[in-house]
Amino acid sequence: MPREPDSLNHLRSNWPEGSFLTKKTKWLQGLIITIYFSYLRRVLAHPQCLDFQPPFKPTSHLEFCRHYEKFGCCDQKTDSNIAMRYWDIMDLIGEEAYAKCGDLVKDIMCQECSPYAAHLFDAEDPYTPVRHLPGLCSSYCADFHSKCHSVVKYLTNSRTLQETCERDPLHFCNLINLPDQDYCYPNVVSNNNLYSNLGKVVEDTRGCFQLCLTEVANGLRNPVLMIHSGDDTHRMFVAEQIGFVWVYLRDGSRLEQPFLDISGEVLTTPWLGDERGFLGLAFHPNYRKNGRFYIYYSILTNGKLEKVRISEMKVSAHDMNIADPYSERVLLEIEEPAANHNGGQILFGLDGYLYIFTGDGGKAGDPFGRFGNAQNRSALLGKALRIDVDGRSIDGKPYRIPLDNPFRKDPDAKPEVYAYGVRNMWRCSVDRGDPLTRYGRGRIFCGDVGQNRYEEVDIIVKGGNYGWRAKEGFECFDMKLCQNSSLDDILPIHAYGHHVGKSVTGGYVYRGCESPNLNGLYIFGDFMSGRLMALEEDKKTGSWKEKNVCMGDTKTCSFPGLINHHHKFIISFAEDEAGELYFLATSYPSAMSPFGTLYKFVDPSRRAPPGKCKYKPLPVKVRGKKVPFTPRELTVLGISETPTRSPLEKIIRPTKPPGTRQPTRAKPSTSAAKKKKTGQTTTAKMSQEKSEKATQQNKKKVNVSMKTQKKVPAHKKLMPQSKKDKKAPVKPSTVKPKQSIKGAPEKKNIKPLKPQTKPKVVTKPNVWLQKTKKNGQEVKKPAKSQPEGTVTKKTQASSKKTKNSILTKKKKAV
């Protein structure tokens, strides 16, 4: 935390001397200091719950802590538990104390639901135990103590606080105060800087969204994509540029054997920035039943001719985590005139067709033919293609042409062409649509890498012309083509100059569950600059507004397991089966360098309500070994895993004798109706505990005093004894009578047993009580004492009853 006094002195030290201060400069001085402190507080705002997670909006109405039903740290279950604890306390205090303290105690207990609960309970540090009382501001604490100091013993088990509360009120309030007065109660509620943007994505002074990350996988060789199979197993398949595809399970582990290895077929080199290699993977929408998937990779034929190949493959019939290496069926091969601009994205749209995105052929400026490959609809390069993989065409192609393809009947165009005029679209995605309204569902977003000046993001539509090489972004690139009236191109939804980045990496529209604030944001990045960006749609105008994405500062990302940094070169973005968003980056963009890492986005300002995002994945049969995940990145708090911390300890409160006042106020519907339970008084419990301890000590003394006794092996203690053994009782020492439920001693007539001179077995005195009925009443009679070791059915049953009664009494005493 920055030191405010030093910063303030710095401001004052640079201010003119007092003799030169005018009213105007004094006013400006006060304004600057006010702005400075308001900025400082806004930066330091860090909502956090007691479970080390961001606060959330409860899904249902809170009956007790209603102040936090719009945003806080309690769902209905936690709210009900707080209400029950509250009414337990109210049952223990008198009418007068209830009238004075009821509201104060409720406010204090409900701070567990505050979005700043971690601050109030001094629990931001995962190694610090949660205290029972939240931080109370001095004036509020003084008022609370003057009215309700007798209630403190019901709120905390801390003897220090209890004793200090009775002895020194000022010291007591100092103990439960907080160093930062912005977060003590009730200041935390009235602080507008803390609550003005609560629950929204944190923005810095430049308006940049501050997000955090978690490390999911590492040690990857230029990971070009991550994709899920859509079969409800929630596995993640990560492909490396050299031709390996790995399976990652929900527990973070990776299967030792790759799902696919075609590294021998893939054309790639260790050259820095080589664009060839394994570039695309897509699972069939019905993969769960047919096991088919599709790949896109670079090949070299006849030792010199480079092509890109799109093939179909199947999963092994014997192992769901391994592809059948002999199942490849080539669908399409396209010759590549240059080593760059190889495209590589393949995906299935909601229509069930396979979309293939190719580059313009490489080099610079699309110099192929009169108009270039991209504007030539009779070429497959520089296009978005669409095919039906669930059939064959009449002319022998291993796929069909969808009937509604826009140029299917055009003799001057390839029937596979769905859209054209693209340069080198790198990473496209399908929008799942809003979870509630389904708005945007099925839209295909692509990032198209620019030439010299602009990078752009497009939404693909049927038959659309995206301008290249006539246009680059919104500007003209080829003046003759650009001024052609027949161009009729579709403008990008966003373009940025090369002062921001030089190679766009397309992303996803976030439609996940865990980070509600991000819903509807299109998040993407730039490969060269390592910059993360977002676009927010104005649904009324259809325009998109740019929002920069920054890594949160240390305070913002102060949650266990979170990091606020990543590798520079952003290769690809990804989405898991639940809709959560990831991206892959490396520190050295070579196909052979094992520095690739998979990151997951986390919004530290708000999360989904507990239980909302739960899902039950189908089981995954693993035949081989699993490689556990070992994080490498340094987290903000220095810990990788979220520590588990139990909720606030339920204090064991002393019970009151019958006749306790019942509160006159109506209890909330969340707390169950209270049932009076008869229990021992505190004095009776203490007396009974002393009696039991004395009995145990006397038994030990008897055993020690027998010098001639022999030890019995443990395996013989449960064996039936002989007649001689049964006639070897030992005279017990005086046993104190047991306490009854009300605390009064019960009088028992116990007949002492005479010991033999040479006992063969170590025996311990014990008393069995038998129950008999007399005149409809239950009366306890003393039974004959039997030596330990004699086991019969009756004694076993009696022993169990005795143990159960002792356990019951101990539970009541606790």
Side-chain angles (χ1 to χ4, degrees):
M1 182 181 294
R3 297 173 59 185
E4 295 182 9
D6 291 345
S7 304
L8 184 59
N9 290 332
H10 175 72
L11 286 174
R12 288 172 178 169
S13 64
N14 294 322
W15 206 262
E17 294 296 328
S19 57
F20 297 99
L21 288 177
T22 63
K23 291 183 178 180
K24 188 173 182 179
T25 55
K26 287 182 179 180
W27 177 82
L28 287 173
Q29 180 184 15
L31 178 62
I32 291 175
I33 293 175
T34 303
I35 294 174
Y36 171 77
F37 279 113
S38 64
Y39 164 76
L40 186 62
R41 288 194 182 101
R42 187 165 67 88
V43 170
L44 295 180
H46 181 54
Q48 184 178 344
C49 300
L50 294 178
D51 59 356
F52 300 104
Q53 297 293 324
F56 54 89
K57 181 180 180 180
T59 55
S60 55
H61 173 67
L62 301 185
E63 295 289 341
F64 191 68
C65 300
R66 297 181 181 179
H67 292 89
Y68 301 109
E69 68 179 1
K70 291 184 178 180
F71 193 72
C73 294
C74 289
D75 55 8
Q76 196 172 37
K77 181 180 178 181
T78 307
D79 180 67
S80 299
N81 291 335
I82 294 174
M84 293 177 69
R85 294 193 336 244
Y86 171 80
W87 288 114
D88 285 343
I89 296 175
M90 293 301 104
D91 284 345
L92 298 174
I93 65 177
E95 289 285 355
E96 185 178 353
Y98 172 71
K100 289 191 302 182
C101 305
D103 292 337
L104 293 174
V105 173
K106 178 181 178 181
D107 289 341
I108 291 173
M109 295 182 69
C110 280
Q111 294 316 301
E112 186 179 342
C113 300
S114 168
Y116 294 101
H119 294 266
L120 284 159
F121 287 87
D122 196 20
E124 289 182 278
D125 181 358
Y127 306 106
T128 302
V130 182
R131 57 187 194 178
H132 291 115
L133 291 176
L136 303 180
C137 301
S138 299
S139 58
Y140 182 89
C141 177
D143 182 54
F144 169 72
H145 184 275
S146 65
K147 297 178 181 178
C148 310
H149 66 276
S150 61
V151 187
V152 171
K153 61 185 176 184
Y154 301 125
L155 294 173
T156 177
N157 281 335
S158 171
R159 296 192 64 177
T160 302
L161 286 179
Q162 291 178 3
E163 293 174 358
T164 307
C165 177
E166 298 296 332
R167 186 177 63 252
D168 190 349
L170 182 60
H171 184 44
F172 169 77
C173 288
N174 288 335
L175 287 176
I176 63 174
N177 201 349
L178 292 176
D180 192 341
Q181 292 298 293
D182 284 335
Y183 289 106
C184 65
Y185 183 79
N187 286 0
V188 66
V189 179
S190 58
N191 193 324
N192 292 329
N193 292 313
L194 295 179
Y195 277 82
S196 57
N197 293 312
L198 187 62
K200 298 180 181 179
V201 182
V202 178
E203 297 185 30
D204 62 11
T205 53
R206 300 168 295 170
C208 190
F209 286 159
Q210 293 197 39
L211 300 180
C212 307
L213 306 171
T214 57
E215 182 185 5
V216 179
N218 52 40
L220 296 161
R221 293 163 292 189
N222 245 35
V224 292
L225 63 90
M226 186 204 88
I227 191 173
H228 63 86
S229 52
D231 58 357
D232 295 327
T233 60
H234 289 263
R235 291 174 293 172
M236 296 186 293
F237 295 79
V238 180
E240 295 175 319
Q241 188 177 355
I242 60 175
F244 285 88
V245 179
W246 302 96
V247 178
Y248 284 82
L249 304 178
R250 290 303 302 163
D251 61 1
S253 63
R254 174 179 64 83
L255 299 189
E256 187 177 46
Q257 188 172 356
F259 174 76
L260 179 65
D261 176 9
I262 57 169
S263 55
E265 298 291 329
V266 171
L267 170 63
T268 189
T269 67
W271 301 344
L272 202 65
D274 191 350
E275 298 178 18
R276 298 166 296 182
F278 189 96
L279 303 175
L281 172 67
F283 288 90
H284 193 280
N286 201 22
Y287 174 77
R288 185 172 175 180
K289 292 184 179 179
N290 60 33
R292 289 152 51 189
F293 63 95
Y294 301 83
I295 55 178
Y296 183 126
Y297 61 99
S298 304
I299 60 171
L300 182 66
T301 60
N302 300 324
K304 57 180 181 179
L305 186 60
E306 295 183 11
K307 294 182 179 180
V308 291
R309 174 184 289 171
I310 297 93
S311 296
E312 176 188 272
M313 295 190 73
K314 291 184 177 180
V315 70
S316 170
H318 308 289
D319 192 337
M320 66 185 299
N321 296 307
I322 297 178
D324 182 354
Y326 305 105
S327 64
E328 183 173 8
R329 181 171 70 100
V330 178
L331 300 181
L332 188 63
E333 288 185 351
I334 306 172
E335 184 178 339
E336 286 284 354
N340 58 342
H341 299 188
N342 294 275
Q345 179 69 58
I346 55 176
L347 55 83
F348 280 92
L350 295 183
D351 52 16
Y353 298 133
L354 181 65
Y355 290 75
I356 303 167
F357 298 87
T358 62
D360 65 1
K363 297 186 178 180
D366 193 6
F368 306 102
R370 183 179 177 184
F371 306 109
N373 281 327
Q375 289 296 321
N376 181 7
R377 292 181 297 193
S378 64
L380 295 178
L381 293 173
K383 306 293 187 299
L385 311 177
R386 185 174 74 157
I387 61 175
D388 181 0
V389 297
D390 292 330
R392 290 177 174 268
S393 62
I394 300 175
D395 57 358
K397 293 179 180 178
Y399 56 84
R400 284 195 296 247
I401 303 298
L403 296 178
D404 62 338
N405 266 18
F407 308 108
R408 180 171 174 267
K409 297 181 179 181
D410 187 344
D412 296 327
K414 291 286 186 181
E416 293 90 348
V417 175
Y418 184 78
Y420 63 104
V422 304
R423 186 173 182 271
N424 187 38
M425 286 188 164
W426 181 247
R427 293 307 168 237
C428 304
S429 63
V430 180
D431 185 1
R432 294 188 178 202
D434 186 273
L436 298 178
T437 65
R438 294 300 195 188
Y439 176 82
R441 180 172 169 80
R443 296 181 299 185
I444 298 177
F445 290 77
C446 288
D448 197 4
V449 180
Q451 178 73 46
N452 297 323
R453 297 177 64 189
Y454 296 101
E455 308 295 311
E456 67 181 71
V457 177
D458 301 296
I459 297 180
I460 306 302
V461 297
K462 182 169 66 175
N465 179 5
Y466 290 87
W468 177 251
R469 73 183 184 190
K471 284 185 177 180
E472 181 186 9
F474 294 102
E475 305 294 332
C476 288
F477 179 81
D478 185 321
M479 296 301 296
K480 292 182 179 180
L481 289 177
C482 186
Q483 294 174 359
N484 190 332
S485 60
S486 63
L487 183 62
D488 193 24
D489 61 322
I490 296 176
L491 296 178
I493 63 172
H494 178 68
Y496 61 91
H498 280 192
H499 66 284
V500 176
K502 296 182 179 180
S503 181
V504 66
T505 301
Y508 282 79
V509 178
Y510 181 81
R511 301 297 188 186
C513 174
E514 296 177 7
S515 300
N517 282 335
L518 304 184
N519 183 36
L521 288 179
Y522 177 74
I523 299 178
F524 64 107
D526 190 273
F527 173 79
M528 293 298 294
S529 67
R531 191 166 182 172
L532 293 167
M533 293 166 275
L535 297 178
E536 187 175 17
E537 183 182 13
D538 185 341
K539 296 179 182 178
K540 294 181 180 179
T541 63
S543 61
W544 294 78
K545 182 180 179 182
E546 181 184 3
K547 291 283 187 180
N548 288 325
V549 176
C550 306
M551 289 294 96
D553 55 23
T554 302
K555 193 70 177 178
T556 303
C557 296
S558 293
F559 292 92
L562 295 192
I563 60 178
N564 59 352
H565 59 276
H566 61 84
H567 297 318
K568 177 183 177 181
F569 299 99
I570 301 174
I571 304 174
S572 184
F573 286 78
E575 184 184 53
D576 65 16
E577 197 164 355
E580 300 307 321
L581 191 58
Y582 303 73
F583 72 96
L584 304 106
T586 184
S587 59
Y588 191 78
S590 167
M592 308 299 178
S593 60
F595 303 116
T597 303
L598 175 62
Y599 303 96
K600 180 181 179 181
F601 284 101
V602 176
D603 176 17
S605 60
R606 180 184 173 189
R607 59 167 159 157
K612 181 180 179 181
C613 303
K614 288 184 179 179
Y615 52 86
K616 188 175 182 181
L618 292 177
V620 178
K621 296 180 181 179
V622 178
R623 295 181 180 273
K625 295 181 180 179
K626 296 193 296 183
V627 180
F629 169 64
T630 303
R632 296 178 180 176
E633 302 297 329
L634 181 64
T635 63
V636 173
L637 291 180
I639 53 178
S640 300
E641 297 180 359
T642 302
T644 56
R645 172 185 282 164
S646 57
L648 288 177
E649 181 184 351
K650 189 172 183 180
I651 303 170
I652 303 171
R653 315 182 197 288
T655 57
K656 295 189 74 174
T660 309
R661 175 204 64 83
Q662 294 293 334
T664 55
R665 180 186 294 187
K667 296 182 183 181
S669 58
T670 54
S671 60
K674 300 289 179 293
K675 293 183 179 179
K676 280 291 176 180
K677 296 182 180 180
T678 58
Q680 291 174 312
T681 62
T682 307
T683 306
K685 291 176 184 177
M686 294 176 61
S687 177
Q688 182 176 349
E689 290 175 358
K690 289 181 180 180
S691 175
E692 290 175 355
K693 288 181 180 179
T695 304
Q696 293 175 0
Q697 291 175 357
N698 290 333
K699 288 180 181 179
K700 290 180 180 179
K701 289 180 181 179
V702 172
N703 293 335
V704 173
S705 63
M706 297 179 182
K707 296 180 180 180
T708 58
Q709 60 186 213
K710 297 180 180 180
K711 293 184 178 179
V712 180
H715 68 278
K716 290 186 179 182
K717 285 187 177 181
L718 297 178
M719 296 291 293
Q721 290 182 323
S722 63
K723 293 181 180 180
K724 292 183 179 180
D725 293 336
K726 291 182 180 180
K727 293 180 181 179
V730 179
K731 184 177 181 179
S733 60
T734 305
V735 180
K736 292 189 177 182
K738 294 184 178 180
Q739 299 286 339
S740 67
I741 295 177
K742 294 183 179 181
E746 294 179 352
K747 295 182 180 180
K748 302 295 178 184
N749 295 324
I750 302 173
K751 296 180 180 180
L753 300 176
K754 297 180 180 180
Q756 291 182 345
T757 55
K758 294 182 179 181
K760 295 182 180 180
V761 183
V762 177
T763 58
K764 294 181 180 180
N766 207 338
V767 177
W768 279 263
L769 295 178
Q770 296 176 344
K771 295 183 179 180
T772 60
K773 290 187 177 181
K774 184 177 181 181
N775 298 329
Q777 296 180 350
E778 192 176 87
V779 180
K780 293 183 179 179
K781 287 186 178 182
K784 293 182 179 180
S785 178
Q786 296 183 11
E788 184 178 320
T790 304
V791 180
T792 62
K793 292 182 179 180
K794 292 182 179 180
T795 57
Q796 284 180 344
S798 176
S799 177
K800 288 180 180 179
K801 289 180 181 179
T802 305
K803 290 179 179 179
N804 290 336
S805 63
I806 293 173
L807 289 173
T808 304
K809 290 179 180 180
K810 285 184 177 180
K811 287 180 180 179
K812 289 181 179 179
V814 174

